[in-house]
Amino acid sequence: DKDPSRTAWDSQVRAAAESRGARLLVLVGVVFHSYMVAIEFSHGAYSHRGPVILSLAIMAVAGTLLVAPWPDRVPPKLVTWGSAAVIGVSNLLVLTPIRGASAWPGWSGWSAGASMFLAVLLLLRQRTAEAVVGCVGFVVAVAAWVALSGRPPGLVFTFTIGHIITFIFWFALVSWSGTVTSAIERALKAEEQARLERELQVSINSAMAVKLADVSVRARGTLEALRDEEVTPEIAMEARLLEAELRDEIRAPYFTGTEVVAAARRARSRGVEVVLFDDRGDATRGGSTDEERLRTRIVERAVAALDEAGAGRVVVRVCPAGRPWAATILTDAGLAVVEAKEGAVEVGEAGD
């Protein structure tokens, strides 16, 4: 149920653990810590070498598995929970055999830094619970070592505080970066939506202005005649024709700007009752070649029917409701149906 932008960001963060840089860091870490262990061995820092070598080995395996490629960039739970367990176990294996009673373990605490690197890899893999458990396991291991070796209890705090602060920093960085990214993505989407709405409104206003200008040109002469001259039968007829045309603009915008407008005026001047309908609703035509061909065919058929009618009634309906036809043309001679099937235009005739 995450925001899509957050899901994409989390995937990118998980991918960082599979990058060449992360794998190089793991390799360098294994080589460097092996060198440190060798130096500690040469100085006799450990009473037993086996646990230390085992700790280095299991941390190297855990680090390798965390940067290995996995399906959907998500390591199995066995790998992530196993890595969390390695953090605690490896520190206990390294700290317990340290020789001497000095308060600070010196370089022999290399396992703490290596284990925090594993915790950061778990955070990058979006495995927060396992990372927190691993960090807690690290503190518990240090506390157990301090208790078993009889060292001052304050060493638990002084030895772990730097690593804990580093872990908290990475935890906040990974968590907050995802939140901030999602917020930025939502803001960008909202801005884009607002821009599209503004462009749509400008387009609507422009189209409306064009139509109003066209209506103004067509209506001005008749309205000025009604204002300045005595109403004659010719002016009254012109006003009725203008009223019918304006009604067509509202009921049948499909034919706006086409030859149907002039054909309807000619038919009405001959006494034919013309009714135009556009039942497309919010759908729009135009754009594809097939739709333009269909529009041209409907206009041609409508113009022909209007010019052929000498009396009676002509009803042209685009996309009649409840019918699969593209248009119907009803005259006193019968019903003509214009269909569009797979881009091809077919015209059928039906009786009364």
Side-chain angles (χ1 to χ4, degrees), residues 56-68:
L56 179 62
I58 60 177
M59 281 199 288
V61 171
T64 301
L65 291 176
L66 286 177
V67 297

Side-chain angles (χ1 to χ4, degrees), residues 87-214:
I87 293 175
V89 172
S90 62
N91 281 279
L92 194 59
L93 290 173
V94 172
L95 295 174
T96 302
I98 291 178
R99 292 180 184 274
S102 62
W104 194 260
W107 272 23
S108 297
W110 60 266
S111 60
S115 60
M116 285 301 100
F117 182 65
L118 294 180
V120 170
L121 286 177
L122 287 172
L123 289 176
L124 290 179
R125 286 296 194 174
Q126 301 293 313
R127 288 296 175 262
T128 305
E130 291 92 323
V132 172
V133 169
C135 193
V136 171
F138 162 65
V139 177
V140 171
V142 173
W145 165 64
V146 170
L148 292 174
S149 60
R151 286 176 167 80
L155 183 59
V156 177
F157 176 79
T158 58
F159 185 71
T160 61
I161 184 61
H163 302 293
I164 297 301
I165 291 176
T166 301
F167 176 80
I168 292 175
F169 169 78
W170 278 98
F171 179 86
L173 179 64
V174 173
S175 300
W176 293 346
S177 63
T179 302
V180 171
T181 300
S182 297
I184 293 174
E185 187 70 20
R186 287 194 298 271
L188 291 176
K189 288 183 178 179
E191 182 179 350
E192 179 66 15
Q193 183 64 28
R195 184 185 66 81
L196 292 176
E197 290 178 356
R198 288 195 300 270
E199 291 181 354
L200 177 61
Q201 189 61 46
V202 169
S203 176
I204 292 174
N205 292 341
S206 176
M208 186 176 295
V210 171
K211 284 194 173 185
L212 289 176
D214 179 65

Side-chain angles (χ1 to χ4, degrees), residues 79-352:
V79 172
T80 56
W81 284 109
S83 299
V86 164
I87 293 175
V89 172
S90 62
N91 281 279
L92 194 59
L93 290 173
V94 172
L95 295 174
T96 302
I98 291 178
R99 292 180 184 274
S102 62
W104 194 260
W107 272 23
S108 297
W110 60 266
S111 60
S115 60
M116 285 301 100
F117 182 65
L118 294 180
V120 170
L121 286 177
L122 287 172
L123 289 176
L124 290 179
R125 286 296 194 174
Q126 301 293 313
R127 288 296 175 262
T128 305
E130 291 92 323
V132 172
V133 169
C135 193
V136 171
F138 162 65
V139 177
V140 171
V142 173
W145 165 64
V146 170
L148 292 174
S149 60
R151 286 176 167 80
L155 183 59
V156 177
F157 176 79
T158 58
F159 185 71
T160 61
I161 184 61
H163 302 293
I164 297 301
I165 291 176
T166 301
F167 176 80
I168 292 175
F169 169 78
W170 278 98
F171 179 86
L173 179 64
V174 173
S175 300
W176 293 346
S177 63
T179 302
V180 171
T181 300
S182 297
I184 293 174
E185 187 70 20
R186 287 194 298 271
L188 291 176
K189 288 183 178 179
E191 182 179 350
E192 179 66 15
Q193 183 64 28
R195 184 185 66 81
L196 292 176
E197 290 178 356
R198 288 195 300 270
E199 291 181 354
L200 177 61
Q201 189 61 46
V202 169
S203 176
I204 292 174
N205 292 341
S206 176
M208 186 176 295
V210 171
K211 284 194 173 185
L212 289 176
D214 179 65
V215 170
S216 177
V217 170
R218 287 153 52 188
R220 183 177 299 277
T222 303
L223 294 177
E224 289 178 349
L226 290 172
R227 181 194 64 187
D228 301 333
E229 303 176 14
E230 182 180 352
V231 178
T232 63
E234 291 77 11
I235 294 179
M237 174 61 71
E238 186 68 23
R240 285 193 291 270
L241 292 175
L242 177 61
E243 179 187 4
E245 290 180 10
L246 297 181
R247 191 162 49 244
D248 291 340
E249 292 284 348
I250 299 172
R251 295 189 306 191
Y254 185 79
F255 297 113
T256 298
T258 67
E259 298 177 5
V260 174
V261 176
R265 171 178 277 268
R266 292 193 299 269
R268 286 178 176 130
S269 64
R270 296 194 303 270
V272 179
E273 181 184 359
V274 179
V275 182
L276 305 178
F277 289 108
D278 182 358
D279 293 330
R280 295 173 301 160
D282 294 333
T284 58
R285 290 199 178 274
S288 70
T289 303
D290 291 337
E291 290 174 341
E292 288 300 326
R293 289 175 54 231
L294 178 60
R295 180 186 178 88
T296 301
R297 186 58 174 166
I298 292 174
V299 169
E300 290 176 352
R301 293 290 300 179
V303 170
L306 290 169
D307 287 340
E308 291 173 1
R313 191 175 191 227
V314 177
V315 179
V316 182
R317 185 183 295 270
V318 179
C319 296
R323 301 289 184 177
W325 304 320
T328 57
I329 303 173
L330 178 63
T331 64
D332 290 348
L335 176 67
V337 176
V338 181
E339 298 184 5
K341 295 181 179 179
E342 298 181 356
V345 180
E346 296 184 3
V347 179
E349 298 288 346
D352 291 338

Side-chain angles (χ1 to χ4, degrees), residues 28-46 52 56 94 105-114:
V28 172
V30 171
V31 173
F32 179 70
H33 288 103
S34 298
Y35 172 72
M36 293 178 64
V37 169
I39 293 179
E40 292 295 327
F41 283 167
S42 66
H43 291 150
Y46 301 103
V52 180
L56 179 62
V94 172
W107 272 23
S108 297
W110 60 266
S111 60

